[in-house]
Amino acid sequence: MQKARAESAHMATVSGRSEVSLWFLFWTFLKIGSIAFGGFTALISVVENIIVRKQKLLEHEDMLDGVSLATARIVGSFIDYARWTPRPDPLVVCLVGATSHAGRLDEIVQADSRGVSVRGVAPAALLPSGCNVAYFGRLDSVVLRQTLIAVRGKGVLTIAENDPQCRSQAMFCLRPERGGL
């Protein structure tokens, strides 16, 4: 009886499956960690393949939410690295074009505890004033390039979400892969 209680204490309910043992989770992530190299963003497609497709422990939408959170952490690191004089409060992140992984950028908290304000702007060759960070989603390459040329030298951190070869010459280019960045 006590063994059954102890085992149930080490079980969890995960997205549709009634119970998943901690041992199963430990063993699964030990295997992933043993065969894959890199940080979380490098392992996203491996984790998605095993956890979402094969084991069906998470729904695809939950995985995408995790990718959005990882993207927010990466973009937050870029923001903390950059310096503005004077430091804007709040720092304004402008989303340009349709984005896939920007859903949690509004949760960024900078190292100095300042928050960020996220707003969508229409794709155009010129960004509205007040954008400290331009996060580019899917855009026509000509519009993307023109916008990047227009903001050069204006203190705007540029991040391209959908430009894996970094042809746009944004300051940072996220490299999308199946299921992640």
Side-chain angles (χ1 to χ4, degrees):
M1 181 76 165
Q2 279 186 311
K3 185 177 180 183
R5 277 192 212 140
E7 283 182 12
S8 67
H10 296 290
M11 304 294 261
T13 302
V14 180
S15 188
R17 266 179 96 152
S18 58
E19 292 183 345
V20 177
S21 71
L22 291 178
W23 174 251
F24 174 81
L25 290 174
F26 169 78
W27 183 246
T28 301
F29 281 96
L30 179 67
K31 287 190 292 187
I32 292 170
S34 298
I35 62 170
F37 296 95
F40 175 72
T41 54
L43 298 175
I44 289 173
S45 62
V46 175
V47 171
E48 180 185 27
N49 187 40
I50 294 171
I51 301 299
V52 176
R53 291 194 177 109
K54 289 182 180 174
Q55 299 296 331
K56 300 190 183 330
L57 295 176
L58 285 177
E59 298 295 325
H60 183 69
E61 292 76 26
D62 295 329
M63 184 72 188
L64 289 178
D65 188 50
V67 172
S68 293
L69 180 60
T71 301
R73 292 188 65 190
I74 292 167
V75 171
S77 296
F78 295 160
I79 289 170
D80 281 336
Y81 179 76
R83 296 290 176 255
W84 288 267
T85 305
R87 186 90 171 156
D89 188 17
L91 190 123
V92 178
V93 177
C94 292
L95 304 179
V96 186
T99 62
S100 299
H101 306 297
R104 296 185 71 176
L105 292 181
D106 58 345
E107 296 176 23
I108 294 173
V109 177
Q110 299 173 66
D112 61 3
S113 299
R114 294 182 198 190
V116 299
S117 172
V118 179
R119 67 181 188 195
V121 297
L126 294 174
L127 283 178
S129 62
C131 293
N132 307 110
V133 178
Y135 183 98
F136 297 99
R138 287 181 301 281
L139 285 175
D140 174 73
S141 60
V142 173
V143 173
L144 174 60
R145 191 87 168 102
Q146 288 173 341
T147 306
L148 286 164
I149 289 169
V151 299
R152 282 216 175 104
K154 296 193 171 133
V156 177
L157 176 67
T158 56
I159 302 166
E161 176 183 270
N162 198 26
D163 185 13
Q165 286 78 33
C166 211
R167 290 190 177 123
S168 64
Q169 298 180 356
M171 293 176 186
F172 295 97
C173 297
L174 304 178
R175 184 174 166 215
E177 295 178 359
R178 186 178 53 115
L181 293 177

